[in-house]
Amino acid sequence: CWQRRGFWRGSDRLTLDWWIVTGFVGMLVMFFVTMPMSRRRHARLARKRGRIEVERFERAMARAFVSATTTRFLWRELAAYYHAPLKPLPEDRLESQIMIDRPEIEGLIIHFWRSMRGGDPLPAFSPLNADPTVAELGRHLDLMAGWTVRSAA
């Protein structure tokens, strides 16, 4: 019926457009379906942990050998990825537990570098391990900046 009216005739472009729109709508649906699951996961984790204040995070990161400057940066920047009332801890796995994508983690690294070093070219460093913890990310950032806990700014 549709082919007789010419709807599909010469319409590889039309079918491609249809698949693009369908794919985009599918991605939107997946986003809105998975967001509540992420919130529930964060709420369960927050109930297990209890209240976490910045001082507790700073002490834990210092024990993990992360500089105070990097710790403050991570506390501030990671807040966008944690659903309230959950707060970061050094042992949190960023990809599997907190659900931060690798490109977003790399974006944090670039943002840290630009915040600390301005226009200096980004150095070539070995990549982070798969599914890094907050502490591993902190040590990686300290290494990039050339800081240690003893010589941190």
Side-chain angles (χ1 to χ4, degrees):
C1 167
W2 291 44
Q3 287 180 337
R4 273 186 279 148
R5 291 188 202 145
F7 187 75
W8 296 110
R9 196 173 329 179
S11 60
D12 284 343
R13 173 106 175 113
L14 180 63
T15 57
L16 179 63
D17 290 345
W18 171 251
W19 281 112
I20 290 171
V21 169
T22 303
F24 180 73
V25 169
M27 288 174 52
L28 281 175
V29 168
M30 288 299 293
F31 173 78
F32 286 108
V33 166
T34 59
M35 182 60 72
M37 291 188 306
S38 176
R39 286 186 190 280
R40 282 194 299 272
R41 177 186 296 203
H42 284 205
R44 267 194 317 272
L45 192 54
R47 280 192 301 274
K48 279 190 215 173
R49 290 183 178 176
R51 189 168 173 86
I52 298 171
E53 297 296 331
V54 67
E55 294 81 18
R56 177 178 169 194
F57 180 70
E58 288 173 346
R59 285 192 306 274
M61 290 294 277
R63 284 192 303 273
F65 304 104
V66 178
S67 70
T69 302
T70 302
T71 297
R72 285 188 299 273
F73 173 85
L74 288 173
W75 177 264
R76 185 180 65 246
E77 296 301 321
L78 288 175
Y81 300 99
Y82 283 75
H83 298 293
L86 188 63
K87 302 288 184 191
L89 281 179
E91 61 271 9
D92 289 348
R93 294 249 165 232
L94 295 173
E95 291 178 35
S96 63
Q97 192 176 20
I98 307 304
M99 308 304 282
I100 303 175
D101 295 330
R102 180 56 72 148
E104 292 173 321
I105 295 170
E106 291 168 2
L108 283 170
I109 293 169
I110 292 167
H111 179 59
F112 174 82
W113 182 257
R114 289 184 179 147
S115 296
M116 300 300 148
R117 297 293 194 161
D120 290 352
L122 189 65
F125 272 85
S126 61
L128 276 170
N129 297 334
D131 198 13
T133 64
V134 172
E136 289 170 347
L137 176 59
R139 287 190 296 270
H140 181 79
L141 296 176
D142 280 347
L143 180 65
M144 282 179 58
W147 296 336
T148 63
V149 171
R150 291 192 180 128
S151 68

